[in-house]
Amino acid sequence: MTEFTRPDGSSGLVPTAPTVAGGQPLAPDAGIDTAVGMDPGVDSTAAAGLELKVRSQWSYARMRFFRHRLAVAGLVGLIIVFGAGIFANFVAPYPYAAIDLNNILQPPTTVNQHYFGTDGIGADEFSRVIWGIRTSLEVGVFVAVVSSIFGLIIGAVAGYFGGLLDNLLMRITDLVLTLPALAILLTAAALLGQGSQWRVSIILALFFWTTLARIVRGIFLSLREKEYVEAAKAAGSGDLRIMFRHILPNTLGPVIVNGTLAVGTAILTEAALSFLGFGIVPPTPSLGQLVANGQNYPVQWWLTIFPGLVIVLIVLCVNFVGDGLRDALDPQQRRVRA
């Protein structure tokens, strides 16, 4: 307040511009910025540490995934198991083909680092399991990537264009789905030969694309009617650009989840084929092959139990990760289930 004197000699008080500590007047447009001691030219929200971070959909998906305890546990398990397979040269105490005739059918022991025991020719079972993990990883990842790409293309073309092309592609997909997969795989392995993990992987990939193709087709049928697709067409965008630039990003969630689950399924199927003698054969290491070899020594339980447990662990971890990805990438998911 400021004191003033009237012409008649009386005095009075009038309000002045509001001030803050230090006697600095507030500008009419300064508001709360100056009141808290901030430069009016600086965004008060940012200066006060209250800025809002813009998060993408992938950021929210990542947050939801890491809140899924089983998925995180599965991811850690896969990193450990697959890491051991990738670095088998450093983790395995012995080469895969190394034998020790002085330690045949030895039970698990820390002596000479035979942690999983030895088999009928003195080979270290722990080393063979580690090398078998590398083979399973190669098969699983190859099958998942190839089948996902193939199923994605088939489903996208069928769902976007529809009509006769859709009917033709879906009838082919239905035909593949109706075939007895195991019998066809055994026949194909017998005719094309076995032994190489890449040959087995190609055979598996030819049967693993059908589920994803039907999922992608359904999503494309729904999304091709959306407003942003009509706007892209009106702007002159071509079919390929609309399919892979505008619609495809909205299908990545199911594609990633299906690809993750395909890794576990491929590993399990390869192990079954190798167990039956139609998959990978020596000298290429394989977990299913190790389980089959262990059947020749029913008393030596470690020859069957350890490679079998590793297969179960891999498939279980893959399914946990797939379940977590499904919940994280589902935009309608409001609560983490585990």
Side-chain angles (χ1 to χ4, degrees):
M1 304 294 285
T2 302
E3 184 177 0
F4 70 96
T5 302
R6 298 186 179 91
D8 59 0
S10 62
S11 61
L13 297 176
V14 295
T16 58
T19 60
V20 294
Q24 297 180 355
L26 291 179
D29 58 347
I32 190 62
D33 292 338
T34 308
V36 296
M38 298 178 183
D39 186 356
V42 179
D43 185 2
S44 61
T45 304
L50 301 175
E51 68 274 9
L52 298 177
K53 294 182 179 180
V54 179
R55 297 185 184 273
S56 65
Q57 182 64 30
W58 293 106
S59 298
Y60 285 109
R62 185 171 60 252
M63 292 172 57
R64 288 194 293 266
F65 177 82
F66 283 106
R67 290 172 183 169
H68 197 295
R69 292 186 293 273
L70 288 179
V72 173
L75 180 62
V76 173
L78 288 181
I79 292 175
I80 295 174
V81 174
F82 285 160
I86 293 172
F87 299 102
N89 292 329
F90 305 99
V91 177
Y94 298 94
Y96 177 78
I99 61 175
D100 183 5
L101 297 178
N102 295 322
N103 292 284
I104 295 177
L105 297 177
Q106 292 296 316
T109 178
T110 57
V111 179
N112 296 324
Q113 296 181 314
H114 295 311
Y115 305 118
F116 289 177
T118 60
D119 61 9
I121 60 175
D124 180 58
E125 189 73 5
F126 177 75
S127 299
R128 293 204 163 193
V129 168
I130 296 298
W131 287 100
I133 291 173
R134 173 183 287 188
T135 303
S136 297
L137 175 61
E138 293 173 349
V139 172
V141 173
F142 180 86
V143 172
V145 172
V146 174
S147 63
S148 295
I149 293 175
F150 194 56
L152 180 62
I153 294 175
I154 295 296
V157 172
Y160 182 79
F161 292 102
L164 180 61
L165 185 59
D166 178 26
N167 289 329
L168 176 62
L169 293 175
M170 286 301 101
R171 296 299 77 75
I172 295 175
T173 303
D174 293 338
L175 176 62
V176 177
L177 284 172
T178 58
L179 296 176
L182 185 58
I184 298 298
L185 289 172
L186 293 176
T187 304
L191 294 177
L192 301 178
Q194 61 261 22
S196 170
Q197 68 265 36
W198 304 115
R199 185 179 297 118
V200 174
S201 299
I202 293 174
I203 296 174
L204 293 177
L206 294 177
F207 287 88
F208 275 53
W209 59 270
T210 52
T211 302
L212 181 61
R214 294 177 68 89
I215 294 174
V216 173
R217 171 186 176 267
I219 297 176
F220 266 70
L221 284 174
S222 173
L223 295 181
R224 71 178 184 178
E225 306 296 336
K226 297 295 183 180
E227 291 79 2
Y228 66 87
V229 175
E230 298 296 335
K233 291 180 180 179
S237 299
D239 291 331
L240 290 179
R241 179 177 176 81
I242 295 175
M243 290 171 58
F244 296 103
R245 178 65 178 85
H246 297 285
I247 301 180
L248 179 60
N250 294 301
T251 67
L252 289 182
V255 170
I256 293 174
V257 173
N258 186 84
T260 303
L261 297 177
V263 173
T265 307
I267 291 175
L268 198 59
T269 306
E270 178 274 320
L273 290 176
S274 299
F275 179 80
L276 296 174
F278 290 89
I280 300 173
V281 297
T284 305
S286 169
L287 294 176
Q289 174 197 125
L290 293 176
V291 175
N293 293 339
Q295 300 298 306
N296 298 323
Y297 306 96
V299 178
Q300 285 71 31
W301 53 268
W302 58 88
L303 298 179
T304 303
I305 294 297
F306 286 122
L309 286 178
V310 171
I311 294 174
V312 173
L313 177 63
I314 292 174
V315 176
L316 195 63
C317 289
V318 167
N319 281 288
F320 284 157
V321 172
D323 187 58
L325 287 174
R326 182 189 60 199
D327 292 346
L329 297 174
D330 185 1
Q332 297 180 348
Q333 185 72 26
R334 293 286 183 260
R335 182 176 58 88
V336 177
R337 297 184 300 169

